[in-house]
Amino acid sequence: MSADADADAYPLRNLEDMEQRARAVLAANDLGTMVTAAPNLYPHMWSWDAAFVATGLSTVSVARALQELDHLIAAQWDSGMIPHIVFSDVPGYFPDVERWGTRGASPEGVQSSGICQPPVHATLLRRIVERATAAGGGDARLAEEFTRRTLPQWIRWHAWLRNSRGADGSGLLTIYHGWESGMDNSPRFDGPYSRVRPGKMEPFVRTDTLKVTDRSQRPSDEEYSRYLWLVQQMADVRFDDARLPGVMAFQVKDVFMSAIFAAANEDLAVLAEHAGLRGDAPRLREWAREFRDGVDATVDEQTGLARDRDVLAGDWIGLPTMAGFAPLISTADDTLLGRQLEVFEGPDWTGDPRLAFPLPASTSTTYAGLKPRQYWRGPVWPVMNWYLASCLRRRGDEARYRRLRQASLDQLMEGHFAEYYEPFTGEPLGSMDQSWTAAVALEWLADPDAG
């Protein structure tokens, strides 16, 4: 039975109800080896979802949290890539492993997609390790053993990103599909996608629009045909990293993913030192510096927002999306940080008085192309609220963290743990009982200063 079964349970009465409900969502979505991203729409493991889910699980069971990451890292390709989907045996999702054509490219016995997602894993593993270390006893031993055992795999993952996607000296990672960004249909990709011309493909029947029946919330069929053409282009060259730059019709330097990578390299260096593998830390810190500088260099002086770059067109992408706040994740420049926060709290973003809650939408609320109900084109994403707030807290910005925490808890009190929310009404949208939404609710609630 779905955790969403009892409609009389909404809205939630208090934070204790929220904790119970969040735990119930994760338990209901747990297949034993993986917590699926959502019970109906996403019945598999997504790479960056799994990292956020693991942190939420660690508030309940460190052992189960580490098992989640273990299942993900076991799907790592020989190249070092961690795939963006690890498929379960649950049918009914499209595109499935057959459409991806990854058999023979992915590890034996693993069914996966052929692309990656943002590398938040080291950052969130560090959070789990710190929680386990503070708890002491068995949790601390489990976390230490897990870190020592898997650290070479996480380092291979980072080396693959640096060498296959960011070796050109720009300090920015290249993505070959909008899905790799995690922000699938963000307006930031409209220009690059407009130049993707699908060729002959097998026909397709989508499953997402059968489960989220309000099509206004989902990408269009035209967009989907472009997504699938890019999958076919990769499959046609057997996902060969060396051949992708010569064949892919979509190539973008992703500033948000690059900032995540910069921060994660620093976190992985800390984990390496914690595990006694100090020889790897200098290289990781050099990558952190390289990509931190690369992200800072993209900022538009006029808008104060970071920009992606369309590799094939040679153009900056400066649309006002959440990705523009990439320096909040990684910058060491206090002047840039101050400018970013000024924009973040201004009338185009969290300072817009029309917002149901003062939380960042996926695009500026004053952007002419805002679509407040459609996926990454306008809604508010709870997981991003928590991630950005956590980045600010690690800088020592407790006041802003607390404000975002309170607004997020107020938003989640409606109780459905939705994938995303309409920014002006607070209506839950997309998939309900979303695992990473429940996970970050548990993270907010595990705050020792809660209440």
Side-chain angles (χ1 to χ4, degrees), residues 114-437:
I115 60 175
C116 66
Q117 274 190 323
V120 294
H121 312 84
T123 295
L124 300 179
L125 174 57
R126 179 181 175 185
R127 186 173 183 86
I128 294 168
V129 169
E130 288 172 347
R131 173 171 285 138
T133 302
D139 284 349
R141 288 191 295 274
L142 278 174
E144 182 175 357
E145 187 278 331
F146 178 86
T147 303
R148 287 180 180 277
R149 175 169 56 83
T150 63
L151 196 72
Q153 291 171 274
W154 300 117
I155 292 173
R156 279 205 304 126
W157 161 229
H158 281 220
W160 177 82
L161 286 163
R162 168 61 177 75
N163 298 328
S164 296
R165 299 300 187 89
D168 61 351
S170 66
L172 297 169
L173 297 175
T174 300
I175 60 171
Y176 295 118
H177 200 301
W179 287 347
E180 293 198 300
S181 74
M183 300 182 183
D184 304 8
N185 70 329
S186 171
R188 55 200 278 237
F189 304 129
D190 286 355
Y193 270 132
S194 72
R195 291 182 285 279
V196 175
R197 300 284 185 265
K200 185 176 180 180
M201 291 189 297
E202 290 292 320
F204 63 92
V205 177
R206 295 169 61 179
T207 57
D208 61 319
T209 50
L210 301 177
K211 295 171 182 179
V212 178
T213 55
D214 177 4
R215 280 182 166 263
S216 71
Q217 297 182 38
R218 304 296 298 174
S220 68
D221 285 349
E222 182 181 8
E223 289 173 295
Y224 231 82
S225 68
R226 292 179 175 132
Y227 302 158
L228 294 174
W229 178 245
L230 296 176
V231 169
Q232 184 165 315
Q233 286 189 310
M234 294 180 209
D236 285 346
V237 296
R238 302 301 299 146
F239 303 94
D240 184 337
D241 292 323
R243 297 175 66 185
L244 292 177
V247 302
M248 294 307 298
F250 178 105
Q251 300 183 37
V252 172
K253 289 290 184 182
D254 184 333
V255 72
F256 199 79
M257 187 167 173
S258 300
I260 288 171
F261 185 54
N265 275 305
E266 182 63 37
D267 291 319
L268 195 54
V270 170
L271 289 171
E273 291 170 340
H274 179 78
L277 302 175
R278 296 181 179 275
D280 293 298
R283 175 176 54 147
L284 293 165
R285 288 208 163 91
E286 175 56 28
W287 291 347
R289 182 205 58 77
E290 178 185 2
F291 284 83
R292 181 171 62 243
D293 291 349
V295 170
D296 286 0
T298 71
V299 174
D300 185 325
E301 290 186 7
Q302 183 175 354
T303 66
L305 295 174
R307 296 172 290 179
D308 302 299
R309 190 161 183 84
D310 185 333
V311 174
L312 298 179
D315 297 330
W316 288 110
I317 303 171
L319 294 174
T321 74
M322 179 179 285
F325 295 108
L328 293 183
I329 300 168
S330 60
T331 192
D333 183 333
D334 288 341
T335 300
L336 173 55
L337 177 63
R339 177 76 193 285
Q340 282 256 298
L341 290 170
E342 181 182 4
V343 177
F344 185 76
E345 296 177 338
D348 298 332
W349 293 92
T350 62
D352 188 332
R354 299 173 298 160
L355 289 169
F357 305 97
L359 296 166
S362 43
T363 68
S364 164
T365 56
T366 59
Y367 171 53
L370 174 75
K371 294 186 177 180
R373 298 177 61 82
Q374 192 184 111
Y375 214 43
W376 286 97
R377 304 185 76 88
V380 173
W381 288 72
V383 69
M384 288 293 97
N385 302 335
W386 179 82
Y387 179 68
L388 290 175
S390 297
C391 291
L392 292 173
R393 188 180 219 187
R394 287 177 65 170
R395 296 180 180 279
D397 195 340
E398 190 70 18
R400 285 188 173 88
Y401 169 83
R402 285 175 175 272
R403 288 199 293 271
L404 289 167
R405 176 182 180 275
Q406 187 58 56
S408 295
L409 290 174
D410 290 344
Q411 179 188 58
L412 294 174
M413 195 60 76
E414 63 80 31
H416 286 87
F417 296 111
E419 189 177 6
Y420 44 91
Y421 288 79
E422 211 278 358
F424 305 116
T425 66
E427 178 188 357
L429 299 172
S431 175
M432 303 298 119
D433 294 351
Q434 192 81 10
S435 291
W436 68 357
T437 305

